[in-house]
Amino acid sequence: MKSMTGYGKANLKIEEREYQAEIKSVNHRYLDISVKMPKILSYLEEEIKKEIATQVKRGKIDVFITFENHSTQGKEIKINHEIAKIYINELKKLAKQEEILANLEVTEIMKLPDVLTIQNNQEEESIKFELLEVVNQSANKLIQMRMTEGSKIAEDLRNRMELIQEKVKEIAKLSTGLIEEYVVKLEGRIKEVLKTQEVDPNRLAQEVVIYADKCSVEEEITRLKSHISQFQKLLEEEEPIGKKLDFIIQEMNRETNTIGSKANHLEITKDVIDIKTELENVREQIQNIE
């Protein structure tokens, strides 16, 4: 199980080309990858996203790429002579109109837009391979951190599920005696109100059946036990389970609320409150699970 929060950083230097990739991830409902990188590498943005998506399935992912290229491999300097001539002619015209000296230096002309360009004819494939390599290294470190954090969360969730399981067992025990308690209380109340020791057994049986139907929590307890078992099994899965766990917690909350509304018993109410408290803690934890 993996957390959705993590950080990974990697550096790579090959033939005077230097790369650095940083990846940060936080909670998010879906997978959202954002890449910030030098404009010269922007054509590789989708490749980077695909590489990360093979390892990360959920979370807000921010990728930061830095790149310095001091290599001369495959580089070719191109001078746009036509553009340069236009600049020179226009500057000479301006100098003549304003009656100033036209001291034009070649180095100054080269600085003008679109006159000089550096083309990389053989580097693109190398840069792509090297960049994806450093991104992959950074992603591996991110995954490792997410797994470490995920194992801690999993241990906490197991402990909380065990507490919930114990509370469900207590409720199951208490609920078996609810009918007997109700019979005794109802019979005593009838004798008290009617001032008689004789109680119509048929009428008493009808009331007990009605009460038993209203306060029975056997089905809810059975479903709660099933949800707990499913939850515990999912913690052992290797695939992303955050959304599945979130759904199970919603169902457990629903069953617990039903038990609380049905069982008119102080001790059961206390157990229900304890379960709901633990479920809320679990719900907060699983918001950080991939």
Side-chain angles (χ1 to χ4, degrees):
M1 191 177 77
K2 301 183 187 74
S3 165
M4 278 194 284
T5 58
Y7 175 79
K9 180 180 179 180
N11 296 280
L12 183 66
K13 183 176 180 180
I14 299 178
E15 296 181 355
E16 302 302 317
R17 293 187 293 274
E18 297 181 27
Y19 308 83
Q20 179 175 281
E22 286 184 84
I23 306 179
K24 300 177 183 179
S25 69
V26 294
N27 302 358
H28 198 273
R29 191 173 180 181
Y30 306 106
L31 178 61
D32 181 15
I33 303 175
S34 173
V35 181
K36 293 184 179 180
M37 60 197 303
K39 188 176 180 180
I40 193 173
L41 298 178
S42 59
Y43 69 98
L44 291 172
E45 182 174 341
E46 288 305 314
E47 295 286 347
I48 292 171
K49 289 182 177 181
K50 288 178 183 178
E51 180 69 24
I52 294 172
T54 61
Q55 301 186 58
V56 180
K57 303 304 178 185
R58 191 175 171 214
K60 175 70 175 70
I61 314 296
D62 289 311
V63 184
F64 304 92
I65 305 290
T66 60
F67 174 61
E68 292 185 19
N69 190 359
H70 305 293
S71 171
T72 59
Q73 177 186 344
K75 288 185 177 178
E76 184 179 353
I77 295 177
K78 291 285 187 179
I79 298 176
N80 192 324
H81 294 274
E82 296 303 318
I83 292 291
K85 288 176 183 179
I86 293 172
Y87 276 127
I88 292 170
N89 291 332
E90 291 300 318
L91 289 172
K92 284 181 176 180
K93 288 179 184 179
L94 179 62
K96 186 176 181 180
Q97 290 172 3
E98 300 299 326
E99 297 182 350
I100 58 177
L101 294 175
N103 295 327
L104 299 177
E105 297 287 341
V106 173
T107 54
E108 295 301 317
I109 300 298
M110 293 300 101
K111 295 178 183 177
L112 296 173
D114 301 321
V115 174
L116 187 147
T117 57
I118 300 177
Q119 296 181 346
N120 294 317
N121 297 325
Q122 301 172 357
E123 274 196 311
E124 285 193 1
E125 280 303 312
S126 297
I127 289 173
K128 175 183 174 180
F129 177 81
E130 292 159 6
L131 180 59
L132 292 180
E133 173 64 22
V134 74
V135 167
N136 187 56
Q137 291 177 15
S138 182
N140 287 338
K141 292 179 180 179
L142 171 78
I143 296 300
Q144 188 59 49
M145 181 176 288
R146 284 162 64 110
M147 289 178 65
T148 300
E149 182 67 21
S151 66
K152 294 177 182 178
I153 295 175
E155 185 62 29
D156 180 71
L157 293 179
R158 289 189 187 95
N159 293 336
R160 294 187 185 280
M161 274 299 131
E162 287 177 5
L163 291 173
I164 292 172
Q165 200 166 33
E166 289 303 313
K167 293 297 178 181
V168 171
K169 289 179 181 178
E170 288 179 18
I171 291 174
K173 289 179 182 178
L174 291 169
S175 65
T176 57
L178 288 177
I179 305 300
E180 289 78 4
E181 288 182 20
Y182 179 73
V183 171
V184 173
K185 289 179 181 179
L186 181 61
E187 192 171 3
R189 182 62 176 160
I190 291 172
K191 290 177 181 179
E192 181 183 341
V193 172
L194 299 180
K195 311 275 188 211
T196 178
Q197 295 300 313
E198 296 295 328
V199 179
D200 183 356
N202 293 327
R203 180 59 179 166
L204 182 62
Q206 284 182 334
E207 292 296 327
V208 170
V209 169
I210 294 172
Y211 177 78
D213 185 56
K214 287 183 177 180
C215 74
S216 175
V217 293
E218 185 175 340
E219 290 184 11
E220 287 77 12
I221 289 174
T222 299
R223 284 194 289 267
L224 261 180
K225 288 179 178 179
S226 175
H227 293 327
I228 291 171
S229 177
Q230 291 177 53
F231 192 100
Q232 291 170 329
K233 287 179 181 178
L234 278 173
L235 292 180
E236 307 303 324
E237 296 285 339
E238 293 185 3
E239 63 182 26
I241 59 172
K243 291 181 180 179
K244 293 180 182 179
L245 293 181
D246 191 45
F247 175 76
I248 291 176
I249 288 300
Q250 291 179 38
E251 294 301 307
M252 291 179 70
N253 244 321
R254 186 177 292 111
E255 302 298 344
T256 304
N257 287 334
T258 303
I259 291 173
S261 63
K262 278 187 173 183
N264 187 19
H265 189 280
L266 181 60
E267 290 303 317
I268 290 180
T269 300
K270 288 180 179 179
D271 286 335
V272 165
I273 292 172
D274 290 340
I275 291 174
K276 286 179 67 65
T277 299
E278 288 302 324
L279 286 176
E280 179 59 25
N281 291 331
V282 171
R283 190 193 67 81
E284 290 179 2
Q285 284 280 50
I286 63 178
Q287 299 310 307
N288 193 38
I289 295 175
E290 184 180 58

